[in-house]
C-alpha cells in the first residue's frame, strides 16, 4: 500500500515517545504478581527494535487513519474475586467494552481457538484494534445482531494525505465508485474484505458493518501465514500487516496490555468514543457525504511546530529468511504515493506451469502439482515484486496449506508467484483457482482442479450370519461391511446401499425389504454412507414389507468395491409370526 504522506507522519516520533511513556506508567501502576495474570506481551516496538517483515498481502485498512488516544495511566482494577477477562465491579471507564462488541471479540477468539489453535489469538488483541479503528464501533452503537446502527466509513483513499487506492468494489460497500474507503468497526478496505470477510453471526452473509462478522474476519486475517501470536515476532508482524506503522503497532500493543489487566462489559451505546485521530492535522474535505458516515470536521488552523529532533526513519523490511521456500510470502517495500509500482507495468498473468498435467487429487490428499502465475508486460517481459492473489472457489472443501482459501504471494525475480500447496479436503468435486494482480486490473489466469472420491477396490461382509425376517417384521442385527484398498483398510470412503431388483438389474426394487428415512418412510437406496477409520460402515436397520421371498442388497464404493448380501423374508423366519399371515408372491425378487 502507498505510504502515508510526510505531513501525516511528522508527529510519529512524538506519538511513539508518548506510547513508550504510557506503557512505562502502565507497568508501574500495576501491582506485581496478580493471580491469573497472563504473561506480559512486548508493549512497545520503538525505533530501536528492528521492524519484522510484513506479509506481502498488503494490509487490512489501506493505512487508513485511526484513533490515537492512549489508555489511561491508571489501569483497570478488577475486584478481588474476579479473574482476568471477567466482568469486574469497578475500574476506569475506558476498560468497559460494549456488551455486544465484547461478545463478538470473545466468540471470534473461541472459533479461532478451535479452527486455528496454533495461532493463539487473544480476544484482547481484537479489542485493541477495535478501539483504535472505530472506538469499539463508536461506543457500541450496534443492533442486537451486531450490525452498526449506521455504517462506519473512513475517508476516501485518494492520495490526499492517505494512500491512493482506486475503487475496487464499484461502491458496493463504501458508496464511492472512485476511491476505496475503509469500512465497518474493524475498518477493512473493500479489496481486503472481498477475500477476508467472514460470517460471524450465522446469518448467511459476511457484512463488514457487523461486529461479529468483522471481528471474526480480523481474527482470521491476523492468524494467516501460520503466525503464532503468542510470539513477539509474529504478533508484531500481524499488527503491522493491519496498518503498517510503528506508531500504530505501539498504540495497539498499549491497548492489548491495558485490556489484559482486566475489563468489563457496559451497555451497548454507552461506551466512550476517542477524540484524537491520526489525521487531525489534515483537512477533511476529501471525505464524501456517504450516508451514515460522520460529518467532516472543519480543518483546524495549524499550530506552530516546536523545533524537535526528527524521528529516526524506520528500517526497511527484512528479506524473507528463506526466499526459496515455496509459498513463503515475499516482503516488498512500499513505494511513495504517486510513484509507479511494478504492478502498473503488468499487462496480464500467464500460467507458470509447463507440464500440462491435470490438477487432480484423491479426497484427503495433497495435490502433487503446484500452480503458479507469471506476471508479464505487454511485450512479454517478466515483472518481479508483484503481489498475486490466488483464490479458491467452488463447492468443495479444498484449501491451501494452512486451511485458507485465499493466498497472496509476491512474484520472484523471474516474475513467478507459486501458490501454496493445494489440499483436496474430503468433499469430491471440481473447483476453480483464479489468480489476479492485487490492486491492478491486469488480466488474470485460472485453473480447474478435481477432487476424486477416496477409493475402495474390495468390500466384504464382516459376518456370515444369515439375514432373515418375517413379513412386516424387522431384520435382527444390522448389515456391516468392510472396505479395503490394495489390501489396506479404506477409511472415509463413501458408500451407497441399494435394495436391487436382481443380480442382473442393479436398479432399486419397488417392493421387499427397505430402510427408513428420518420420517419413517420406506427408502431402498441410501447414499452418503462413509466408512470409519477401520474401513467399516454399518448400515441402518432393515425392515420387511408384506411380500415374502429372497431379495438382494448391494453395497458399492468408488474404485470398484462391491458386495451383494442376500435377504430372506418368510413366515418360518419367526416363530411368533401370525398363523394367518399368507405370504404372497414377491414381484422382482432375486433368485
Amino acid at each position: 500500500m502507498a505510504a502515508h504522506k510526510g505531513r501525516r507522519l511528522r508527529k510519529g516520533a512524538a506519538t511513539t515517545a508518548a506510547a513508550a511513556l504510557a506503557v512505562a506508567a502502565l507497568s508501574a501502576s500495576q501491582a506485581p504478581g496478580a493471580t491469573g495474570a497472563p504473561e506480559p506481551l512486548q508493549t512497545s516496538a520503538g525505533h530501536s527494535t528492528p521492524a519484522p517483515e510484513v506479509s506481502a498481502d498488503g494490509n487490512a485498512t489501506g493505512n487508513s487513519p485511526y484513533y490515537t488516544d492512549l489508555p489511561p495511566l491508571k489501569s483497570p482494577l478488577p475486584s478481588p474475586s474476579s479473574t482476568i477477562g471477567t466482568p469486574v465491579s469497578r475500574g476506569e471507564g475506558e476498560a468497559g467494552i460494549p456488551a455486544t462488541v465484547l461478545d463478538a471479540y470473545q466468540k471470534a477468539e473461541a472459533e479461532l481457538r478451535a479452527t486455528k489453535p496454533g495461532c493463539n489469538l487473544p480476544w484482547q488483541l481484537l479489542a485493541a484494534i477495535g478501539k483504535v479503528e472505530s472506538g469499539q464501533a463508536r461506543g457500541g452503537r450496534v443492533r442486537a445482531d451486531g450490525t452498526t446502527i449506521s455504517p462506519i466509513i473512513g475517508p476516501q483513499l485518494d492520495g490526499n494525505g492517505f494512500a491512493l487506492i482506486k475503487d475496487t468494489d464499484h461502491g458496493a460497500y463504501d458508496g464511492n465508485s472512485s476511491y476505496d474507503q475503509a469500512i465497518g468497526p474493524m475498518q477493512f478496505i473493500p479489496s481486503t474484505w472481498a477475500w477476508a470477510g467472514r460470517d460471524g453471526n450465522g446469518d448467511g452473509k459476511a457484512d463488514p458493518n457487523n461486529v461479529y462478522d468483522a471481528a471474526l474476519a480480523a481474527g482470521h486475517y491476523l492468524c494467516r501465514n501460520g503466525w503464532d501470536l503468542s510470539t513477539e515476532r509474529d504478533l508484531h508482524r500481524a499488527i503491522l500487516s493491519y496498518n503498517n506503522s510503528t506508531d500504530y503497532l505501539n498504540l495497539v500493543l498499549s491497548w492489548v496490555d491495558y485490556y489484559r489487566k482486566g475489563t468489563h462489559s457496559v451497555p451497548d451505546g454507552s461506551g466512550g468514543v476517542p477524540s484524537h485521530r491520526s489525521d487531525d492535522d489534515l483537512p477533511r474535505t476529501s471525505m464524501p457525504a456517504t450516508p451514515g458516515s460522520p460529518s467532516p470536521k472543519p480543518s483546524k488552523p495549524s499550530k506552530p511546530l516546536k523545533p524537535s529532533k526528527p524521528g529516526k526513519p524506520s528500517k526497511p523490511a527484512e528479506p524473507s529468511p528463506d526466499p526459496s521456500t515455496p509459498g513463503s510470502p515475499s516482503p516488498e517495500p512500499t513505494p511513495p504515493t504517486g510513484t509507479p509500482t511494478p504492478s502498473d507495468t503488468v499487462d496480464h498473468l500467464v500460467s507458470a506451469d509447463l507440464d500440462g498435467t491435470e490438477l487432480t487429487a484423491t479426497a484427503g490428499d495433497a495435490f502433487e502439482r503446484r500452480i503458479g502465475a507469471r506476471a508479464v508486460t505487454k511485450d512479454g517481459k517478466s515483472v518481479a515484486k508483484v503481489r498475486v492473489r490466488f483464490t479458491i472457489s467452488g463447492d468443495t472443501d479444498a484449501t491451501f496449506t494452512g486451511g485458507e482459501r485465499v493466498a497472496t504471494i509476491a512474484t520472484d525475480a523471474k516474475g513467478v508467484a507459486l501458490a501454496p500447496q493445494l489440499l483436496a479436503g474430503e468433499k469430491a468435486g471440481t473447483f476453480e483457482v483464479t489468480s489476479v494482480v492485487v490492486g491492478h486490473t491486469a488480466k488474470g489466469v485460472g485453473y480447474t482442479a478435481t477432487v476424486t472420491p477416496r477409493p475402495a477396490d474390495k468390500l466384504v461382509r464382516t459376518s456370515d450370519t444369515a439375514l432373515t425376517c418375517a413379513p412386516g417384521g424387522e431384520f435382527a442385527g444390522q448389515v456391516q461391511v468392510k472396505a479395503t484398498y490394495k489390501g489396506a483398510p479404506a477409511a472415509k470412503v463413501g458408500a451407497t446401499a441399494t435394495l436391487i431388483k436382481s443380480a442382473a438389474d442393479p436398479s432399486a426394487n419397488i417392493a421387499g425389504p427397505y430402510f427408513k428415512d428420518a420420517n419413517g418412510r420406506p427408502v431402498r437406496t441410501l447414499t452418503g454412507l462413509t466408512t470409519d477409520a477401520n474401513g467399516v460402515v454399518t448400515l441402518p436397520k432393515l425392515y420387511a414389507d408384506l411380500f415374502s421371498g429372497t431379495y438382494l442388497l448391494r453395497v458399492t464404493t468408488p474404485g470398484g468395491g462391491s458386495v451383494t448380501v442376500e435377504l430372506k423374508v418368510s413366515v418360518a423366519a419367526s416363530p411368533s409370526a401370525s398363523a394367518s399371515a399368507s405370504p404372497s408372491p414377491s414381484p422382482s425378487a432375486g433368485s
Side-chain angles (χ1 to χ4, degrees), residues 478-504:
Q478 293 171 254
V479 177
Q480 190 177 72
V481 298
K482 182 172 183 177
T484 56
Y485 182 66
K486 296 182 179 179
K492 296 183 179 180
V493 171
T496 299
T498 306
L499 280 306
I500 61 176
K501 290 182 177 179
S502 68

Side-chain angles (χ1 to χ4, degrees), residues 387-429:
R387 291 180 292 125
V388 177
R389 179 176 299 138
F390 298 90
T391 303
I392 298 173
S393 60
D395 189 24
T396 72
D397 54 354
T399 66
F400 293 115
T401 301
E404 296 290 351
R405 291 174 67 87
V406 177
T408 304
I409 307 296
T411 57
D412 58 19
K414 296 180 180 179
V416 174
L418 279 180
Q421 189 172 34
L422 281 168
L423 305 179
E426 295 298 336
K427 189 174 182 181

